[in-house]
Amino acid sequence: MLEKISKWMQKSEPVSLDQRGIDLSRVPSHVAVIMDGNGRWAKKRGLPRIAGHQAGMKKVIEITRAADELGVKVLTLYAFSTENWKRPPEEVEFLMKLPQEFLGSELNELIEKNIQVRMLGDESQLPAYTTKAVKTAMEKTRDNTGMVLNFALNYGSRAELIDAVKQIALDIKNQQISSEEINESLMESYLLTKEYPDPDLLIRTSGELRLSNFMLWQLAYSELFFTDVLWPDFKRENFYEAIREYQNRSRRFGALK
Ligand code: FPP
């Protein structure tokens, strides 16, 4: 038995880590982030909540750069949930203006970096200025082939699943598909994320240990990384720490080791 183990150990490839301790051959393809803690960050400083969102927006470009440089293929950021409409109107309005502000200053860099801007969520309820900013960015980065920067805006996982089920029911009624065909891959083809692999890693900042209606189907086998760091304080180094932690986990997808 011991002989077997040592043989196996000899066979495994030596891991070469970069100067940050990251194995560049095993970077997660899809990283999803619940950017939480903006309000608390502002409160700690005696500032209005919107100041926290403004500071949070600045972190989006920092983490986008870090993910892109590591070779992440898809970075999905939870920027506004279907539940966030319950916030005071001034805060909602401020959040809705952030894509415009962010893309106004960062779009050129995203274009240069070959990044593709995308959106996940129901755009029908968004103000015209938000949709316009996102659509323009999507259009201008449409032919890019690098990392996908995916903004989850007015996104809710239960709404996404309900829409998928409704569409499947309709397609069965119209005899486009039969109920026997329903399986995981068919279900996935009805989700907003159909073009992307499931997230390998979910990061949630600010110490909250919840999924908050985010990608409930897609996160089934993702590694979860929770940190107490508030989103406006979240730095490249914190992102690298999440990647290192991910690389130290053994992903089994329900099978034995
Ligand atoms: C949750 O923190 C955060 C949000 C609801 C908004 C997140 C948005 C950003 C970080 C900026 C997005 C940028 C672009 C470009 C779209 P919270 O307000 O719930 O914080 P709290 O739990 O401390 O109150």
Side-chain angles (χ1 to χ4, degrees), residues 147-196:
M147 187 179 82
V148 170
L149 173 59
N150 204 10
F151 288 105
L153 270 175
N154 194 24
Y155 174 82
S157 187
R158 288 186 172 183
E160 178 190 30
L161 291 167
I162 289 168
D163 285 348
V165 171
K166 276 188 184 162
Q167 194 55 51
I168 291 173
L170 206 64
D171 287 351
I172 292 174
K173 194 175 156 209
N174 296 334
Q175 298 185 333
Q176 313 254 326
I177 55 167
S178 77
S179 60
E180 283 71 42
E181 287 176 67
I182 300 176
N183 59 19
E184 285 194 17
S185 72
L186 181 113
M187 183 68 192
E188 275 159 11
S189 72
Y190 282 80
L191 298 178
L192 297 170
T193 48
K194 56 178 173 286
E195 303 159 64
Y196 314 122

Side-chain angles (χ1 to χ4, degrees), residues 5-6 46 57 63 68-69 74 90 93-94 99 102 112 115 129 188 200-201 210 215-216 218 225 229 249 252:
I5 294 171
S6 74
M57 186 192 74
I63 301 311
D68 182 45
E69 286 161 26
V74 185
E90 317 78 65
E93 192 185 337
F94 191 86
F102 173 80
E112 263 167 42
I115 289 173
Y129 54 80
E188 275 159 11
D200 303 288
L201 170 66
R210 286 188 290 277
M215 300 181 106
L216 300 178
Q218 297 88 339
F225 177 85
V229 177
R249 305 238 182 120
R252 302 205 294 272

Side-chain angles (χ1 to χ4, degrees), residues 10-250:
Q10 277 161 19
K11 262 197 227 158
S12 63
E13 292 291 314
V15 176
S16 110
L17 303 178
D18 75 353
Q19 69 282 9
R20 296 160 296 205
I22 291 173
D23 174 358
L24 293 175
S25 70
R26 288 194 307 120
V27 169
S29 293
H30 186 171
V31 179
V33 187
I34 302 179
M35 308 180 289
D36 196 9
N38 295 348
R40 274 163 286 166
W41 183 92
K43 195 172 176 202
K44 268 184 19 187
R45 289 162 177 77
L47 297 169
R49 294 178 56 80
I50 56 170
H53 295 314
Q54 185 76 31
M57 186 192 74
K58 301 227 168 80
K59 288 295 154 170
V60 170
I61 192 67
E62 184 176 337
I63 301 311
T64 299
R65 286 179 188 137
D68 182 45
E69 286 161 26
L70 280 182
V72 168
K73 302 268 184 299
V74 185
L75 177 67
T76 300
L77 304 176
Y78 204 7
F80 193 90
S81 75
T82 44
E83 288 69 39
N84 287 151
W85 295 108
K86 295 178 203 146
R87 297 189 174 207
E90 317 78 65
E91 185 175 343
V92 169
E93 192 185 337
F94 191 86
L95 285 168
M96 283 296 146
K97 287 194 169 144
L98 289 182
Q100 198 182 23
E101 189 179 339
F102 173 80
L103 293 163
S105 60
E106 313 298 349
L107 184 56
N108 284 343
E109 180 178 336
L110 300 177
I111 294 171
E112 263 167 42
K113 294 207 153 120
N114 197 24
I115 289 173
Q116 314 173 54
V117 177
R118 304 270 182 85
M119 184 196 137
L120 194 69
D122 177 5
E123 64 180 59
S124 67
Q125 290 162 301
L126 299 176
Y129 54 80
T130 312
T131 322
K132 188 170 172 232
V134 177
K135 286 236 162 117
T136 306
M138 283 167 61
E139 184 58 34
K140 289 194 173 166
T141 60
R142 200 184 51 187
D143 296 329
N144 285 357
T145 53
M147 187 179 82
V148 170
L149 173 59
N150 204 10
F151 288 105
L153 270 175
N154 194 24
Y155 174 82
S157 187
R158 288 186 172 183
E160 178 190 30
L161 291 167
I162 289 168
D163 285 348
V165 171
K166 276 188 184 162
Q167 194 55 51
I168 291 173
L170 206 64
D171 287 351
I172 292 174
K173 194 175 156 209
N174 296 334
Q175 298 185 333
Q176 313 254 326
I177 55 167
S178 77
S179 60
E180 283 71 42
E181 287 176 67
I182 300 176
N183 59 19
E184 285 194 17
S185 72
L186 181 113
M187 183 68 192
E188 275 159 11
S189 72
Y190 282 80
L191 298 178
L192 297 170
T193 48
K194 56 178 173 286
E195 303 159 64
Y196 314 122
D198 286 343
D200 303 288
L201 170 66
L202 170 82
I203 299 173
R204 181 169 189 154
T205 58
S206 93
E208 305 293 344
L209 308 177
R210 286 188 290 277
L211 294 183
S212 300
N213 200 17
F214 188 49
M215 300 181 106
L216 300 178
W217 172 282
Q218 297 88 339
L219 292 171
Y221 287 104
S222 309
E223 293 299 326
L224 310 180
F225 177 85
F226 297 103
T227 170
D228 287 339
V229 177
L230 304 175
W231 176 253
D233 289 328
F234 193 79
K235 299 185 177 59
R236 262 173 184 273
E237 195 37 61
N238 302 107
F239 186 73
Y240 297 147
E241 187 196 338
I243 304 287
R244 282 193 295 268
E245 166 85 32
Y246 164 84
Q247 294 187 334
N248 282 330
R249 305 238 182 120
S250 106

